[in-house]
């Protein structure tokens, strides 16, 4: 099965900083990749589909890029409300594996 | 309004059986996969498997194959996840979610979660 490796496992950044999270697939998944945000005690929320398509209502400071095996989620200017754990997920074919998650905190 | 409404929290003993549900509304149930996701306390999201309600095509994660059974009744827009013999290690929050059968998109709507506690 294809493995999804996310890094870093956690990060601490200041408000206004640019934050980058990476996700690597062990095989080519083209652009069948999604990013989710899960705030403490809340449901996961879909941020990005097809590697770079922002979901309606998601702030434009979030962006996604990549194709094949290497993908990136970028928060251009970190805000206090962005404190959450972020997950990537591949869905080209089953199993639709999630990455291990990246916990984002404010410094 | 799209909604996925899951059945309520359950407290069970090891060895007992359980079936939880996920009812979709506000959309065409057979245009979407239903996805089941486990989240153990303090841990990440685990993809358990998927079912397509149109024909009950089911795919399981190797980690959950043989441990759970997924089913769906398209006549009442409801999907199910069941265990025949629970273990303490099944204690977790279980989410259902939907993903378009046709489009390149992620899991765009989630149920509220069903907390399953297995304890003697």
């Amino acid at each position: 099965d294809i493995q999804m490796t996310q890094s870093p496992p956690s990060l601490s950044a200041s408000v206004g900083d640019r934050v980058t999270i990476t996700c690597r697939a062990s095989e080519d998944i083209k652009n069948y990749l999604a990013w989710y945000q899960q705030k403490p005690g809340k449901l996961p929320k879909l941020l990005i589909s097809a590697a770079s398509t922002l979901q309606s209502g998601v702030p434009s400071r979030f962006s996604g890029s990549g194709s094949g095996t290497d993908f990136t989620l970028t928060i251009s200017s970190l805000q206090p409300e962005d404190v959450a754990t972020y997950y990537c997920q591949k869905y080209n074919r089953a199993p639709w594996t999630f990455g291990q998650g990246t916990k984002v905190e404010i410094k | 309004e799209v909604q996925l409404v899951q059945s309520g929290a359950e407290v069970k003993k090891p060895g007992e059986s359980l079936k939880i549900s996920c009812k979709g509304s506000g959309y065409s149930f057979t245009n979407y996969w239903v996805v089941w996701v486990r989240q153990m306390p303090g841990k990440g999201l685990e993809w358990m498997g998927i079912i397509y309600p149109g024909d009950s095509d089911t795919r399981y994660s190797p980690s959950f194959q043989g441990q759970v059974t997924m089913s769906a009744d398209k006549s009442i827009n409801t999907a199910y996840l069941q265990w025949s013999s629970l273990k303490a290690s099944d204690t977790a929050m279980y989410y259902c979610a939907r993903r378009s059968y046709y489009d390149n998109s992620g899991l765009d709507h989630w149920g509220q979660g069903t907390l399953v506690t297995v304890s003697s």
Side-chain angles (χ1 to χ4, degrees), chain A residues 11-107:
Chain A
L11 65 90
S12 182
S14 299
V15 173
D17 280 356
R18 183 181 184 88
V19 167
T20 299
I21 299 167
T22 64
C23 183
R24 174 165 286 176
S26 56
E27 295 177 17
D28 185 351
I29 60 169
K30 303 190 188 305
N31 70 336
Y32 290 93
L33 185 102
W35 289 97
Y36 301 88
Q37 175 193 66
Q38 188 178 31
K39 296 183 179 181
K42 302 294 186 184
L43 299 177
K45 175 186 175 183
L46 178 64
L47 298 176
I48 288 169
S49 293
S52 60
T53 301
L54 205 64
Q55 289 298 110
S56 175
V58 174
S60 59
R61 63 181 179 275
F62 290 93
S63 64
S65 64
S67 67
T69 60
D70 293 307
F71 302 87
T72 299
L73 173 70
T74 300
I75 308 173
S76 60
S77 176
L78 186 68
Q79 299 302 304
E81 59 266 32
D82 299 335
V83 168
T85 300
Y86 294 83
Y87 298 91
C88 63
Q89 183 198 23
K90 68 99 171 170
Y91 53 88
N92 58 319
R93 63 175 184 270
W96 299 348
T97 311
F98 289 98
Q100 306 94 318
T102 295
K103 188 173 184 179
V104 174
E105 297 175 322
I106 299 291
K107 195 182 293 183

Side-chain angles (χ1 to χ4, degrees), chain B residues 39-57:
Chain B
Q39 189 164 37
M40 299 176 79
K43 301 298 184 183
L45 304 175
E46 297 178 88
W47 184 84
M48 301 177 70
I50 50 174
I51 185 165
Y52 174 58
D55 60 7
S56 291
D57 180 16

Side-chain angles (χ1 to χ4, degrees), chain B residues 2-37:
Chain B
V2 173
Q3 284 192 304
L4 292 167
V5 178
Q6 297 185 231
S7 48
E10 302 274 0
V11 179
K12 292 289 191 178
K13 291 182 168 30
E16 291 186 331
S17 63
L18 175 63
K19 191 173 188 176
I20 63 174
S21 65
C22 169
K23 183 173 176 61
S25 62
Y27 70 98
S28 178
F29 197 61
T30 53
N31 282 350
Y32 291 81
W33 294 95
V34 174
V35 187
W36 288 98
V37 176

Side-chain angles (χ1 to χ4, degrees), chain B residues 21-25 29 72-80:
Chain B
S21 65
C22 169
K23 183 173 176 61
S25 62
F29 197 61
D73 184 343
K74 64 183 178 182
S75 70
I76 54 171
N77 291 357
T78 301
Y80 303 95

